[in-house]
Amino acid sequence: MKFEELMFRLSQAAEYWQWRMETMASEAANRISYAISQIENSSAGEQYRILAAAIRDFILRAQHHFYQNSTVQIVTEFLHSRSHDVMMKLAWIMPILRRLPRDKVLLTSVSLFCGFLGGRMFCVSAPKLKPTYMLSTVCGSYSGISGIAQCRIEVPRLQSSKEVLIKVMSTSLDRTDLISVSGWGRAERRKMHGGFTLGRDFCGVLLDVGANVSHLQPGDRVWGAVPYNLPGTLSEMLVLPGNFVEKMPNNLNWDGAATVPYSSLMVWNALVWKGRLRPEKSEGVRVLVVDGVTDTGCLATQICCIWSCMVTVLCPARTVPLAHALGAHTVIAARDSPEDCVHDLEDTGPFDLIVLSGDLLTSTACQPLLSERGRICSTLPPRLSSDGWGVLRRVFLPIWRSLLPPPSVPNHRRLSEPLRYMTSMVECGKVQPVLDSVLSPLDIKGGLSRMASEETVGKSVVVFDKI
């Protein structure tokens, strides 16, 4: 088609549509006029005839003023000039359009470009999956145990090929949960006003596994622990990196297994990473476990006995039989004052390693009991100076944490090390879990209140099928 013919046809189309618009406007005016005349000739009365005449006069005046209006004339002339410019641009592009069917590269490029634009403009986005919800125990505010609530939150989904989805069967209550609800660790968690999930460990069943997780399969019974600066585990479903998760022992049920993971992480941190003990090189090392019947104390006592250490345990009088059952060589019943406790321990010291697993003695009180190269390590939650930082210092906390990890938080690649060791020890019967009570998610407040009163021995476990 030649350019002159294209211009002729476009001008014909423009004139046709202009005639159609004028015809439609005229027909509408005639219909209104006919309706008005019908009202005037009817028996509706003189008032209706006056109203009809006024309406018809108004329409005629409005139509006349519209066509005579200077703005309408300017807009009409502008559209005519713009149409001329459009025609000139079409005339410029016509040689390319004529060459398009013969140039395959150009045809392919234009087709892809047009297809991309059409897809972006008209393609319907992929349908979103309908969200499903699960039960989670959340600290809504730092008002203590009263700030805990059971909430329905959206079930998480895998976001990486290195993650796994876990159906949680049981988890435990830890000392960190008790102090977290009052604000401990809020700066490290980036939760200055609450709104985080409680729980530090879990036992459950794998539902889905990322492509890059090679040591686990869907359906495996697993356990694991997460550091205090990460989201908690007291939920029905969890998504975690695969290196946080290991297969749990086959000879443990959900209740007993939940007492081990986070406690083993804290004990391993105190004995191996800080205390510098080694399973094969610890024979004869004199170890004192302060409050050796807490959740971490029970585990520290058993591990040190397995490593042939000379273990002394300080514990309340009512728990002395349990300390003996765990394998301690010497058990000292705690007295009312720390000075009396230190005096009783002097006969069995000095100690190469003192493990603080409770509040019976402070680090300062234990100093006289150390040998020349002795160390004091703790399985208790560390004191976090960042909790007292102001707004300005908290702004730079992420930069600081990119250089140095939070206190008592190991490298994430080392989290599976204590879990693998504990799995082997539990399977061969050398480590026994110490269970205080089994709770449902609705009883968590009562469990934390009992922990605050220091009445617990071992660990309290939350089982989700007890709802």
Side-chain angles (χ1 to χ4, degrees), residues 6-72:
L6 176 64
M7 293 290 292
F8 175 72
R9 293 189 178 183
L10 289 175
S11 62
Q12 280 188 328
E15 291 176 359
Y16 170 75
W17 283 108
Q18 184 177 3
W19 172 79
R20 285 281 296 171
M21 294 296 292
E22 292 177 354
T23 303
M24 292 173 63
S26 178
E27 289 178 355
N30 291 335
R31 290 178 181 176
I32 295 174
S33 299
Y34 176 74
I36 293 172
S37 64
Q38 290 291 325
I39 295 175
E40 287 179 342
N41 297 327
S42 66
S43 58
E46 185 64 25
Q47 292 181 349
Y48 287 99
R49 284 192 287 271
I50 294 173
L51 177 62
I55 292 174
R56 183 175 62 178
D57 183 64
F58 172 76
I59 292 173
L60 292 175
R61 288 176 178 273
Q63 185 178 8
H64 176 74
H65 283 292
F66 178 78
Y67 286 114
Q68 298 298 325
N69 192 292
S70 59
T71 305
V72 175

Side-chain angles (χ1 to χ4, degrees), residues 187-299:
E188 301 293 346
R189 284 188 298 269
R190 316 289 197 271
K191 299 289 185 181
M192 297 307 299
H193 305 287
F196 65 95
T197 303
L198 297 175
R200 293 294 103 204
D201 51 19
F202 63 90
C203 298
V205 179
L206 276 184
L207 299 182
D208 197 6
V209 179
N212 291 337
V213 180
S214 58
H215 65 291
L216 299 171
Q217 298 294 330
D220 287 346
R221 286 162 35 104
V222 295
W223 63 1
V226 295
Y228 62 82
N229 61 323
L230 297 181
T233 60
L234 259 170
S235 300
E236 292 181 295
M237 300 284 183
L238 281 178
V239 169
L240 289 173
N243 59 350
F244 283 43
V245 184
E246 289 291 330
K247 293 182 181 179
M248 61 177 280
N250 296 321
N251 57 339
L252 284 184
N253 58 15
W254 301 120
D255 301 354
T259 64
V260 177
Y262 191 70
S263 296
S264 67
L265 181 62
M266 293 295 98
V267 170
W268 198 264
N269 180 57
L271 296 182
V272 179
W273 292 331
K274 292 183 177 179
R276 300 181 184 177
L277 294 184
R278 296 292 180 270
E280 67 280 359
K281 298 180 180 180
S282 300
E283 184 176 356
V285 175
R286 304 179 70 85
V287 179
L288 168 63
V289 181
V290 177
D291 209 349
V293 293
T294 60
D295 51 347
T296 54
C298 292
L299 213 52

Side-chain angles (χ1 to χ4, degrees), residues 175 287-292 294 312-316 332-346 348 351 353-370 376-380 454:
R175 188 187 292 257
V287 179
L288 168 63
V289 181
V290 177
D291 209 349
T294 60
T312 300
V313 170
L314 176 69
C315 62
I332 305 296
R335 292 201 281 175
D336 293 337
S337 67
E339 292 79 9
D340 293 337
C341 293
V342 172
H343 180 268
D344 293 341
L345 290 168
E346 287 176 348
T348 57
F351 300 99
L353 179 65
I354 298 179
V355 181
L356 301 178
S357 298
D359 301 324
L360 294 179
L361 291 178
T362 64
S363 176
T364 304
C366 292
Q367 289 290 338
L369 301 174
L370 285 175
I376 298 177
C377 299
S378 176
T379 63
L380 302 175
E454 299 184 353

Side-chain angles (χ1 to χ4, degrees), residues 380-429:
L380 302 175
R383 181 182 176 276
L384 301 176
S385 59
S386 58
D387 288 341
W389 287 4
V391 176
L392 183 60
R393 294 182 70 184
R394 289 200 304 268
V395 170
F396 296 98
L397 181 61
I399 301 175
W400 180 248
R401 287 295 169 242
S402 65
L403 301 175
L404 293 175
S408 299
V409 174
N411 190 302
H412 291 174
R413 289 174 292 185
R414 305 179 67 184
L415 288 175
S416 59
E417 181 181 337
L419 289 175
R420 286 196 295 266
Y421 182 81
M422 288 299 168
T423 299
S424 62
M425 291 296 101
V426 170
E427 286 181 340
C428 66

Side-chain angles (χ1 to χ4, degrees), residues 99-111:
R99 188 165 53 90
L100 185 61
R102 296 191 296 272
D103 193 334
K104 294 182 179 180
V105 176
L106 182 60
L107 178 61
T108 303
S109 303
V110 172
S111 301

